[in-house]
Coordinates of all heavy atoms in Angstrom, one line a residue:
S21 N -97.3 129.2 -7.9 CA -97.1 129.5 -9.3 C -96.6 131.0 -9.5 O -97.1 131.9 -8.7 CB -98.4 129.3 -10.0 OG -98.2 129.3 -11.5
A22 N -95.8 131.3 -10.4 CA -95.3 132.6 -10.6 C -96.3 133.6 -10.7 O -97.5 133.4 -11.4 CB -94.4 132.6 -11.9
T23 N -96.2 134.7 -9.9 CA -97.4 135.7 -9.9 C -96.7 137.1 -9.7 O -96.0 137.5 -8.8 CB -98.1 135.5 -8.6 OG1 -98.7 134.1 -8.7 CG2 -99.3 136.5 -8.5
W24 N -97.0 137.9 -10.8 CA -96.6 139.3 -10.8 C -97.4 140.0 -9.7 O -98.6 139.8 -9.6 CB -96.9 139.9 -12.1 CG -96.8 141.4 -12.1 CD1 -95.7 142.2 -12.3 CD2 -97.9 142.3 -11.9 NE1 -96.0 143.5 -12.2 CE2 -97.4 143.6 -12.1 CE3 -99.3 142.1 -11.8 CZ2 -98.2 144.8 -12.0 CZ3 -100.1 143.3 -11.6 CH2 -99.5 144.6 -11.7
R25 N -96.7 140.8 -8.8 CA -97.4 141.5 -7.8 C -97.1 143.0 -7.9 O -97.5 143.8 -7.0 CB -97.0 141.0 -6.4 CG -97.3 139.5 -6.2 CD -98.8 139.2 -6.1 NE -99.5 140.1 -5.1 CZ -99.8 139.8 -3.9 NH1 -99.3 138.5 -3.4 NH2 -100.4 140.5 -3.1
T55 N -91.1 132.9 -8.1 CA -91.2 134.4 -8.0 C -92.2 134.8 -9.0 O -92.6 134.1 -10.0 CB -89.8 135.0 -8.3 OG1 -89.5 134.7 -9.7 CG2 -88.8 134.6 -7.3
S56 N -92.4 136.2 -9.1 CA -93.1 136.7 -10.3 C -92.2 136.6 -11.6 O -91.0 136.3 -11.3 CB -93.2 138.3 -10.0 OG -93.0 139.0 -11.1
F57 N -92.6 136.6 -12.7 CA -91.7 136.7 -13.9 C -90.8 137.8 -13.7 O -91.1 138.9 -13.4 CB -92.6 136.6 -15.2 CG -93.4 137.8 -15.6 CD1 -93.7 137.9 -16.9 CD2 -93.9 138.7 -14.7 CE1 -94.5 138.9 -17.3 CE2 -94.7 139.8 -15.2 CZ -95.1 139.8 -16.4
Q99 N -88.6 132.8 -12.0 CA -89.1 132.6 -13.3 C -88.6 133.8 -14.3 O -88.7 134.9 -13.9 CB -90.7 132.7 -13.3 CG -91.2 132.5 -14.8 CD -92.6 132.6 -14.9 OE1 -93.2 133.8 -14.7 NE2 -93.5 131.7 -15.1
Q162 N -87.0 128.9 -13.7 CA -88.0 128.5 -14.6 C -88.1 129.4 -15.8 O -88.2 130.7 -15.7 CB -89.5 128.5 -13.8 CG -90.5 128.0 -14.6 CD -92.0 128.1 -14.0 OE1 -92.3 129.3 -13.7 NE2 -92.6 127.0 -13.8
H164 N -90.2 130.9 -18.8 CA -91.6 131.2 -19.0 C -92.0 131.0 -20.4 O -91.6 131.8 -21.3 CB -91.9 132.7 -18.6 CG -93.3 133.0 -18.4 ND1 -94.3 132.2 -18.7 CD2 -93.9 134.2 -18.0 CE1 -95.5 132.7 -18.6 NE2 -95.3 133.9 -18.0
A166 N -95.1 130.4 -21.4 CA -96.7 130.3 -21.4 C -97.2 131.7 -21.6 O -96.5 132.6 -21.7 CB -97.1 129.7 -20.1
H167 N -98.5 131.6 -21.7 CA -99.4 133.0 -21.6 C -99.0 134.0 -22.6 O -99.3 135.1 -22.4 CB -99.1 133.6 -20.2 CG -99.4 132.5 -19.1 ND1 -99.3 132.8 -17.7 CD2 -100.0 131.3 -19.1 CE1 -99.6 131.8 -17.0 NE2 -100.1 130.9 -17.9
Y169 N -96.1 135.0 -23.8 CA -94.8 135.6 -23.8 C -93.9 135.0 -24.9 O -94.4 134.0 -25.6 CB -94.2 135.7 -22.4 CG -95.0 136.5 -21.5 CD1 -96.0 135.9 -20.7 CD2 -95.0 137.8 -21.5 CE1 -96.9 136.6 -19.9 CE2 -95.9 138.6 -20.8 CZ -96.8 137.9 -19.9 OH -97.6 138.7 -19.3
K217 N -92.5 126.6 -17.7 CA -94.0 126.7 -17.5 C -94.4 126.8 -19.0 O -93.9 127.7 -19.8 CB -94.4 127.9 -16.7 CG -95.9 128.1 -16.6 CD -96.3 129.1 -15.6 CE -97.7 129.3 -15.4 NZ -98.0 130.3 -14.3
E253 N -94.3 122.9 -15.7 CA -95.6 123.4 -15.0 C -96.5 123.5 -16.2 O -96.1 124.3 -17.3 CB -95.4 124.7 -14.3 CG -96.6 125.2 -13.6 CD -96.4 126.5 -12.9 OE1 -95.3 127.0 -12.9 OE2 -97.4 126.9 -12.5
S255 N -99.8 124.9 -18.1 CA -100.8 126.0 -18.2 C -101.4 126.1 -19.6 O -101.3 125.2 -20.3 CB -100.1 127.3 -17.7 OG -101.1 128.3 -17.5
W259 N -105.6 131.1 -19.7 CA -105.8 130.8 -18.4 C -106.8 131.8 -17.7 O -107.5 131.5 -16.8 CB -104.4 130.7 -17.6 CG -103.8 132.2 -17.5 CD1 -102.9 132.7 -18.4 CD2 -103.9 133.1 -16.5 NE1 -102.5 134.0 -18.0 CE2 -103.2 134.2 -16.8 CE3 -104.8 133.2 -15.3 CZ2 -103.0 135.3 -16.0 CZ3 -104.6 134.3 -14.5 CH2 -103.9 135.4 -14.9
Q264 N -112.5 131.6 -12.5 CA -111.6 131.1 -11.3 C -112.6 130.6 -10.3 O -112.1 129.9 -9.3 CB -110.7 132.1 -10.9 CG -111.3 133.4 -10.4 CD -110.4 134.1 -9.3 OE1 -109.8 133.4 -8.5 NE2 -110.4 135.4 -9.4
Y270 N -108.3 123.2 -15.1 CA -108.5 123.2 -16.5 C -107.4 122.7 -17.4 O -107.6 122.7 -18.6 CB -109.1 124.5 -17.0 CG -108.9 125.7 -16.1 CD1 -107.7 126.4 -16.1 CD2 -109.7 126.1 -15.1 CE1 -107.4 127.5 -15.5 CE2 -109.5 127.3 -14.2 CZ -108.3 127.9 -14.4 OH -107.9 129.0 -13.6
T289 N -101.4 123.5 -12.7 CA -101.7 124.9 -12.2 C -103.0 125.3 -12.9 O -103.2 125.1 -14.1 CB -100.6 125.8 -12.5 OG1 -99.5 125.4 -11.7 CG2 -101.0 127.3 -12.0
G290 N -103.8 126.0 -12.2 CA -105.0 126.6 -12.8 C -106.3 126.0 -12.3 O -106.7 124.9 -12.6
G291 N -106.9 126.8 -11.3 CA -108.2 126.3 -10.8 C -108.0 125.2 -9.8 O -108.9 124.3 -9.7
M292 N -106.8 125.1 -9.2 CA -106.7 124.0 -8.0 C -107.1 124.7 -6.7 O -106.5 125.7 -6.4 CB -105.2 123.6 -8.0 CG -104.6 123.2 -9.3 SD -105.5 122.0 -10.3 CE -105.7 120.7 -9.1
R293 N -108.1 124.1 -6.1 CA -108.6 124.7 -4.9 C -108.9 123.7 -3.8 O -108.4 124.0 -2.7 CB -109.9 125.4 -5.2 CG -109.8 126.5 -6.3 CD -109.1 127.8 -5.8 NE -109.1 128.8 -6.8 CZ -108.2 129.0 -7.8 NH1 -107.2 128.2 -7.8 NH2 -108.3 130.0 -8.6
G311 N -99.9 123.7 -8.4 CA -99.5 125.0 -8.4 C -100.7 125.9 -8.2 O -101.8 125.7 -8.6
F312 N -100.5 127.2 -7.4 CA -101.6 128.1 -7.1 C -101.1 129.4 -7.2 O -99.9 129.8 -6.8 CB -102.0 128.0 -5.6 CG -102.1 126.5 -5.1 CD1 -101.1 125.9 -4.7 CD2 -103.4 125.9 -5.3 CE1 -101.2 124.6 -4.1 CE2 -103.5 124.6 -4.8 CZ -102.4 123.8 -4.2
S313 N -101.9 130.3 -7.8 CA -101.6 131.8 -7.9 C -102.7 132.6 -7.0 O -102.4 133.0 -5.9 CB -101.5 132.2 -9.2 OG -101.5 133.7 -9.2
R314 N -103.9 132.7 -7.5 CA -104.7 133.6 -6.8 C -105.3 133.1 -5.4 O -105.3 134.0 -4.5 CB -106.0 133.6 -7.7 CG -105.8 134.5 -8.9 CD -106.8 134.4 -10.0 NE -106.7 133.1 -10.7 CZ -107.3 132.8 -11.8 NH1 -108.1 133.7 -12.4 NH2 -107.2 131.6 -12.4
P315 N -105.3 131.8 -5.1 CA -105.6 131.5 -3.7 C -104.4 132.1 -2.7 O -104.8 132.4 -1.6 CB -105.5 129.9 -3.6 CG -105.9 129.5 -4.9 CD -105.3 130.6 -5.9
I317 N -102.6 134.7 -3.4 CA -102.6 136.2 -3.3 C -103.7 136.6 -2.2 O -103.4 137.3 -1.4 CB -103.2 136.8 -4.6 CG1 -102.3 136.6 -5.8 CG2 -103.4 138.3 -4.5 CD1 -102.6 137.1 -7.2
Ligands
FMN1 C1 -102.1 138.8 -10.5 C2 -101.5 137.6 -11.4 C3 -100.2 137.7 -11.8 C4 -99.6 136.6 -12.5 N1 -98.4 136.6 -12.8 C5 -97.8 135.5 -13.5 C6 -96.3 135.5 -13.8 O1 -95.7 136.3 -13.4 N2 -95.9 134.5 -14.5 C7 -96.7 133.4 -14.8 O2 -96.3 132.4 -15.4 N3 -98.0 133.4 -14.4 C8 -98.6 134.4 -13.9 N4 -99.9 134.4 -13.4 C9 -100.7 133.2 -13.7 C10 -100.6 132.2 -12.6 O3 -99.4 131.7 -12.3 C11 -101.5 131.0 -12.9 O4 -101.0 130.3 -13.9 C12 -103.0 131.2 -13.1 O5 -103.3 132.4 -12.2 C13 -103.9 130.1 -12.7 O6 -103.7 129.7 -11.4 P1 -104.9 130.0 -10.3 O7 -106.1 129.5 -10.7 O8 -104.2 129.2 -9.0 O9 -104.8 131.5 -10.1 C14 -100.5 135.5 -12.8 C15 -101.8 135.4 -12.3 C16 -102.4 136.4 -11.5 C17 -103.7 136.4 -11.1

Side-chain angles (χ1 to χ4, degrees):
S21 188
T23 303
W24 166 85
R25 298 295 304 270
T55 62
S56 148
F57 65 161
Q99 184 186 64
Q162 185 186 57
H164 197 349
H167 305 172
Y169 297 100
K217 183 170 185 177
E253 183 183 2
S255 192
W259 70 270
Q264 62 154 320
Y270 22 86
T289 297
M292 306 311 304
R293 300 292 183 269
F312 318 89
S313 170
R314 287 163 291 192
I317 295 178

